[in-house]
Amino acid sequence: MAGSDYRGIADAVAAEIAEGRLRPGERLPPQRDFAYARGIAVSTASRVYAELARRGLVLGEVGRGTYIRSDLGAPQPIRPEPPPHALDLQRTMSRLPEQEVLLAETLAGLGRHAVEAALTLYGPAGTPQARAVAARFLARDGFAPDPDGILFTGNGRQGLAAALATLAPPGERIGCEPLTYPVIRGIAARLGIALVPIPVDGEGVRPDAILQAHRAAPLSGLYLQPTLQNPLGLTMGPERRAEIAALLAQTGLTAVEDAVYGFLREATPLAALAPERAILVDSLSKRVMPGLTVGMIVSPPEMAERLAVSVRQGGWNAMGVALAAGTRWMEDGSAARLERAKRIDAAERQAIARDCLAGLPVTGDAAAYHLWLTLPETWRAEAYAAAALRRGIALIPASSFAVSPGHAPNAVRLALATPSRADLARALDALRRLALAGDDQVVE
């Protein structure tokens, strides 16, 4: 049968799923066996499986096979929101008691200025005061951003979207970690950008792997999280950062540096080492407030106008009240105080998690608000996540982070930031018992 008929075969399999002849959670045969049974080439079988994955009907797990999705019929966002009834181990948004006091005081203190800000439409450059304050706030040893190169967006996600839109027209390629921030997958898809997974080691993407991917087919840029990478918690050391900076200069590539978790761990940004070749994107969402926030872009000098155009065209400008509040938080030290408190909070929650999950293979950084749990062979990640949700615990399986469909490890990410510490400990104890019990066993 010709390879061009793979869509028809995928249609037939989809019909079997719809009719219940293939059930949710059922494992499809290996591609070679599928090809033999259907009288097709193995290469055609591979295209059928890829088409089924594209339609959201199946999920592949490295070394374990391809399975009918267990959540068929539900909407399939790249990262679903946790159900209202579930304990949230999906999002890394921490909420400390002092944040509520800070918000109330800030809004009261803004007074008439808040009204004026709400009535003002700001461009990507915000105000001279906001740029100067943001430049001082983002500065650290070896890094002193130029206020004239700072732009503002509604949040960090919008800043990332503007940066990717600037670097890569539709149809072009951006390199990134093979397991990455799920929102980037959605942004890239909407912009028509192909994400290219770059192999990593214990410090993040390997420079030699970047060169290999770029030589195979030119990249238009990179998307990297050098500090506390999501989901694996990897952080590049000084030597690796210097190697990446040298590679950017050598190749002419530009990196989008997602610094959203950078406030939890001291490290020199790539933008300090390669100011002409790195776009740093940060925000106040995780530092201060998710609902009243502002994103910040530190632009290379020659790219500032192009980035500003992307922000304007995307409708991603910061709102006046958020910009005014954010400027105040950065200027009066409130944001810095919350940073220090959250560093302590994240480290203490990591300690709770390591204690509750003792004996299980967990990886991550002791400074991060997230943890990576590799599951025993008795579990598949999707089934484990579904079983956890039945017990009132929402978490994210590895497939949500995988750039290449079918290349997700058998693991889940646990976000530690949102629940109370008592609830967190109870949830992690339940997850440990669930992991050790094995698939299809009841755990009370």
Side-chain angles (χ1 to χ4, degrees):
M1 183 175 291
S4 60
D5 294 330
Y6 75 94
R7 290 191 182 89
I9 301 172
D11 290 341
V13 176
E16 293 175 23
I17 295 171
E19 294 165 4
R21 286 184 284 160
L22 290 173
R23 294 172 297 178
E26 186 173 340
R27 185 177 186 271
L28 290 180
Q31 292 181 17
R32 186 172 297 277
D33 294 348
F34 181 90
Y36 179 79
R38 303 269 175 162
I40 59 176
V42 174
S43 60
T44 303
S46 177
R47 298 182 75 181
V48 171
Y49 279 39
E51 175 65 14
L52 292 170
R54 187 191 68 80
R55 299 184 191 184
L57 297 175
V58 302
L59 284 171
E61 296 180 7
V62 175
R64 298 178 65 85
T66 301
Y67 295 81
I68 308 300
R69 291 191 72 114
S70 58
D71 52 359
L72 289 175
Q76 297 299 327
I78 285 177
R79 186 181 68 178
E81 293 297 315
H85 66 276
L87 189 74
D88 183 6
L89 297 189
Q90 288 190 3
R91 294 178 291 195
T92 54
M93 291 291 186
S94 59
R95 181 173 174 176
L96 304 184
E98 51 264 50
Q99 286 176 266
E100 296 182 19
V101 176
L102 173 63
L103 177 59
E105 291 178 347
T106 300
L107 293 179
L110 284 174
R112 181 171 180 80
H113 183 53
V115 176
E116 294 174 356
L119 294 172
T120 302
L121 181 62
Y122 292 100
T127 68
Q129 180 200 10
R131 293 196 302 276
V133 168
R136 291 193 297 270
F137 178 74
L138 295 172
R140 61 197 72 179
D141 288 344
F143 183 52
D146 182 352
D148 290 339
I150 291 180
L151 304 171
F152 298 99
T153 57
N155 53 45
R157 296 179 180 189
Q158 294 176 356
L160 295 173
L164 291 184
T166 299
L167 287 184
E172 296 197 6
R173 297 158 31 100
I174 294 287
C176 65
E177 295 100 345
L179 297 169
T180 193
Y181 179 34
V183 169
I184 287 297
R185 294 171 51 204
I187 291 172
R190 284 164 176 76
L191 294 174
I193 295 170
L195 293 179
V196 179
I198 308 293
V200 301
D201 58 18
E203 291 191 71
V205 293
R206 301 193 336 248
D208 65 307
I210 295 173
L211 280 175
Q212 184 176 359
H214 188 46
R215 288 168 178 163
L219 300 172
S220 295
L222 301 169
Y223 165 76
L224 303 174
Q225 285 188 320
T227 303
L228 303 182
Q229 191 264 349
N230 180 20
L232 299 178
L234 306 175
T235 294
M236 295 182 184
E239 290 186 7
R240 175 60 56 85
R241 291 171 189 257
E243 291 173 352
I244 297 293
L247 182 147
L248 296 177
Q250 172 190 344
T251 60
L253 290 171
T254 298
V256 178
E257 179 178 10
D258 186 346
V260 66
Y261 295 112
F263 72 96
L264 292 171
R265 202 176 195 275
E266 289 292 341
T268 302
L270 289 177
L273 304 174
E276 307 295 324
R277 303 250 57 98
I279 303 169
L280 185 142
V281 179
D282 206 333
S283 83
L284 297 180
S285 298
K286 289 179 169 59
R287 280 182 168 94
V288 186
M289 302 285 175
L292 186 66
T293 189
V294 62
M296 294 168 283
I297 302 173
V298 180
S299 169
E302 72 282 2
M303 296 185 69
E305 183 52 38
R306 289 168 56 201
L307 281 162
V309 169
S310 289
V311 173
R312 285 192 293 268
Q313 289 180 341
W316 296 318
N317 291 20
M319 296 296 99
V321 173
L323 186 60
T327 301
R328 174 165 293 198
W329 290 327
M330 290 187 285
E331 188 170 31
D332 69 8
S334 298
R337 288 194 297 274
L338 281 175
E339 281 187 15
R340 292 191 291 270
K342 291 192 176 189
R343 287 187 180 190
I344 295 170
D345 182 56
E348 291 177 348
R349 287 170 180 267
Q350 278 281 340
I352 292 170
R354 303 302 174 107
D355 182 57
C356 292
L357 299 173
L360 294 177
V362 296
T363 55
D365 193 295
Y369 268 125
H370 57 275
L371 197 64
W372 191 247
L373 170 62
T374 299
L375 295 170
E377 286 299 311
T378 50
W379 279 105
R380 291 186 298 109
E382 289 285 325
Y384 183 81
L389 189 58
R390 288 195 295 272
R391 289 157 176 80
I393 304 167
L395 49 84
I396 306 181
S399 57
S400 293
F401 301 93
V403 172
S404 298
H407 288 75
N410 191 37
V412 296
R413 193 202 70 174
L414 307 176
L416 311 176
T418 301
S420 70
R421 296 187 185 190
D423 285 343
L424 176 64
R426 282 193 290 270
L428 293 171
D429 283 336
L431 291 176
R432 181 178 186 276
R433 293 195 302 272
L434 184 64
L436 294 176
D439 201 354
D440 296 326
Q441 298 192 39
V442 177
V443 180
E444 300 297 338

